[in-house]
Amino acid sequence: MVVGDTSRLDPRLAEQFRTAGLTHLLVVSGANLAIVIGAVMGLCRAVGLDRRSAPPVVLCAVLAFVVVARPEPSVLRATVMGMIGLLAYTSGRQRQGVSALSAAVLVLVLIDPALARSYGFILSVLATAGLLVLAPGWRDRLRRRLPGPLADAVAVAAAAQIAVAPVLVMLSGEIGIVALAANLLAAPAVAPATLLGALGALTALVTVPVAQFVVWPAGLAAGWIAGIARLAAALPYATVPWKNGGLGALSLLVAGAIAVLALRSRRVRLVMAAALAGVLIGVIALRAIMRGWPPPSWAMVACDVGQGDALVLAAGPGRAVVVDAGPDPRTVDACLDRLDVREVPLLVLTHPHADHIDGIAGVRQGRAVRTTLTTPRSSGREARLGRGLDIRAALPGQRWNVADLTLSVLGPLSVGPHLAGTDDGSTINNASLVLVARSPGFSALLAADVELEAQRSLASLVPPVQVLKIPHHGSRSQDRAFLAAARAPISLISVGKDNDYGHPSPATLSLLQGLGTRVYRTDKAGDIAVTRTAAGLAVVQRG
């Protein structure tokens, strides 16, 4: 919170901060400088310094903060924005503040034109503009009904959140419903954590024992904020989906403008309040009668990990076999958390491509991983990422049993030489482990990323199954005989939204349609669960 260094932050906690709308607390922003400047100005007034004497002291404090936080471009931008925002907001000179902000933006962009394409810079400018344009009027209105400090806190949090909402929607494709409440609850602890953390960093240069004493209450404040993030992220519908990109931002602005115009009428406000109350009651009732996630009796889940693979096969309460780990530890860890997986008796890494193995740390996060299987042609990259794991090569014909789940190794048929860093992508893909998973009432062919050559060599060995994981994210490189041999009524494609590869290929989707299989995609459905029912297998989509 002081220097914006998140390198050792738990990825799960970082995701909870994002969901709760508190990510801005993890980076150095104008808010950090505003807190420091405000505290120093308060101390100056307390000791009797006048307006002429206080600015040099404040400037020294700002320079000290920049040294502690490191004078990186983001810190320097935050310094400019924080000083402008605070000085204009506290002085009540909003017009001068907007002019100063505009001048600062022009100067910074002239110095570094790349800022014009920086979302971090845009968010910083918009948040500051919100404080200058929206917060003062809202604060004055709220003070008629709320105590002064509470009115200030609500006005500042709401103004900043509203100002940055279009850009956040454009980036994430979702709206944070709990963000305002989470920011209000976290706000009282932000200043103690920031100020005492910065003071502790400076004190540590002189005496570490005293610094430890100083940062102890800062730790309590940071713990409160982390607790708010966890609580807010765990709430149902903490975020709701919205169209991303420029169209999403524009539609949100239009919706906001319509809402503002509608709320000017008292009658419309009453109608909207009644409608929202009805929707809220309906959502609560629907939530009460609907089954949560994961659905009962799930046999397999394709995790939404973006452009990559991570499949989870049920192996008893709190236990699952994981096939591939996706490209990002955070996404696979979050998926396993949602499934309440606490132990992974078997981790299968089909081939050493980043979109299948870079998330290994997420699978291991807080879980015991017993045995890890790799392709017999492994390059050894899996071992480097999974230090300390019991790693074994899976050979064709081998079977692995975990509870009532059986995994049979179908390929690769040719063991051949170990893969090298110079091998092309198709060579590595064709060395993938291809597995058949079976448990009572469930069977699946997990085809990893095998392409035409490997698919053709395996086609005669493919048994009929109920679920087919389409190879290589639905790329164009598919053999009809291989896919048809599975006779699977359900096909899953693990693929990232708006990926650069054009996956899944329209030709592949057309081929699957011709085979009569129902296709489900993680880029559209989110996590996809295959569950056992009295009538057979069913598919439940989380997205």
Side-chain angles (χ1 to χ4, degrees):
M1 292 184 64
V2 176
V3 300
D5 182 2
T6 60
S7 59
R8 298 183 64 183
L9 188 70
D10 183 350
R12 189 185 317 173
L13 182 59
E15 178 65 18
Q16 290 166 337
F17 266 76
R18 186 197 65 78
T19 303
L22 298 173
T23 304
H24 60 93
L25 298 180
L26 301 180
V27 297
V28 178
S29 66
N32 298 68
L33 270 298
I35 291 170
V36 172
I37 295 169
V40 175
M41 289 179 63
L43 289 174
C44 290
R45 291 174 182 172
V47 298
L49 294 180
D50 57 23
R51 291 186 177 181
R52 293 185 178 181
S53 304
V57 178
V58 174
L59 180 60
C60 291
V62 170
L63 293 176
F65 183 88
V66 171
V67 170
V68 170
R70 301 183 305 275
E72 298 176 348
S74 61
V75 177
L76 297 177
R77 294 197 303 267
T79 302
V80 174
M81 296 302 170
M83 294 185 71
I84 291 174
L86 180 77
L87 293 176
Y89 179 65
T90 54
S91 65
R93 298 178 179 178
Q94 288 79 41
R95 292 182 180 177
Q96 291 87 335
V98 172
S99 300
L101 174 62
S102 302
V105 170
L106 288 173
V107 171
L108 289 171
V109 171
L110 287 173
I111 294 174
D112 183 6
L115 290 177
R117 297 175 57 87
S118 168
Y119 286 110
F121 179 68
I122 293 170
L123 289 170
S124 179
V125 171
L126 288 176
T128 306
L131 295 178
L132 295 174
V133 178
L134 301 176
W138 292 359
R139 173 196 59 190
D140 295 339
R141 292 184 181 181
L142 288 171
R143 280 183 172 177
R144 300 170 189 171
R145 298 178 177 86
L146 298 174
L150 181 58
D152 290 348
V154 173
V156 168
Q161 200 68 34
I162 293 296
V164 302
V167 176
L168 293 179
V169 164
M170 184 167 61
L171 295 174
S172 65
E174 59 187 21
I175 298 175
I177 301 299
V178 301
L180 178 57
N183 275 276
L184 288 174
L185 290 173
V190 173
T194 304
L195 293 172
L196 292 174
L199 183 60
L202 291 173
T203 307
L205 298 174
V206 181
T207 168
V208 172
V210 175
Q212 291 174 329
F213 176 78
V214 171
V215 298
W216 181 75
L220 294 178
W224 169 265
I225 296 170
I228 294 299
R230 293 190 180 98
L231 177 63
L235 292 174
Y237 308 108
T239 60
V240 295
W242 193 274
K243 176 67 178 177
N244 62 356
L247 182 59
L250 180 61
S251 62
L252 182 63
L253 288 171
V254 171
I258 293 173
V260 169
L261 293 174
L263 290 174
R264 290 179 177 272
S265 167
R266 185 174 182 275
R267 180 175 297 177
V268 173
R269 287 200 301 269
L270 291 174
V271 171
M272 290 184 66
L276 289 174
V279 170
L280 181 60
I281 293 171
V283 167
I284 294 173
L286 192 62
R287 181 84 181 181
I289 63 176
M290 285 183 63
R291 295 175 296 183
W293 187 267
S297 301
W298 65 274
M300 172 181 169
V301 170
C303 295
D304 179 15
V305 292
Q307 184 66 11
D309 271 16
L311 307 173
V312 187
L313 300 164
R319 305 173 78 228
V321 171
V322 177
V323 180
D324 287 325
D328 187 342
R330 294 173 296 181
T331 52
V332 68
D333 179 37
C335 181
L336 293 174
D337 276 348
R338 291 191 290 269
L339 298 172
D340 194 28
V341 173
R342 301 181 297 278
E343 181 184 353
V344 179
L346 194 63
L347 169 62
V348 182
L349 303 172
T350 59
H351 64 291
H353 269 158
D355 58 334
H356 290 250
I357 66 173
D358 276 10
I360 290 175
V363 176
R364 303 179 70 180
Q365 181 71 37
R367 301 175 192 91
V369 178
R370 305 301 180 191
T371 304
T372 301
L373 302 182
T374 66
T375 172
R377 298 187 60 192
S378 168
S379 64
R381 186 163 180 263
E382 303 97 324
R384 291 191 292 273
L385 288 175
R387 296 185 187 278
L389 294 176
D390 176 18
I391 298 180
R392 309 179 190 182
L395 300 175
Q398 285 184 335
R399 287 190 177 186
W400 298 81
N401 297 307
V402 182
D404 61 358
L405 175 68
T406 300
L407 286 178
S408 302
V409 182
L410 207 63
L413 292 178
S414 172
V415 174
H418 287 295
L419 296 167
T422 55
D423 287 323
D424 61 28
S426 294
T427 300
I428 298 174
N429 286 339
N430 283 323
S432 297
L433 286 177
V434 178
L435 307 169
V436 176
R438 296 187 185 277
S439 61
F442 167 80
S443 60
L445 175 64
L446 312 181
D449 277 4
V450 287
E451 299 187 23
L452 282 172
E453 179 183 349
Q455 290 178 30
R456 288 168 179 163
S457 69
L458 292 170
S460 61
L461 302 176
V462 172
V465 293
Q466 295 162 296
V467 181
L468 170 61
K469 203 291 292 187
I470 300 299
H472 200 198
H473 322 294
S475 74
R476 188 180 182 86
S477 183
Q478 308 290 338
D479 179 60
R480 180 185 177 86
F482 177 84
L483 300 180
R487 302 179 192 172
I490 298 171
S491 292
L492 306 180
I493 300 179
S494 182
V495 64
K497 186 182 296 184
D498 300 325
N499 64 83
D500 296 332
Y501 305 98
H503 295 162
S505 164
T508 297
L509 294 175
S510 178
L511 172 60
L512 293 172
Q513 183 180 11
L515 293 174
T517 181
R518 299 193 307 275
V519 178
Y520 299 89
R521 301 162 45 175
T522 57
D523 61 333
K524 292 189 172 183
D527 296 345
I528 303 171
V530 179
T531 70
R532 302 180 185 90
T533 69
L537 293 184
V539 175
V540 179
Q541 305 174 66
R542 181 174 177 270

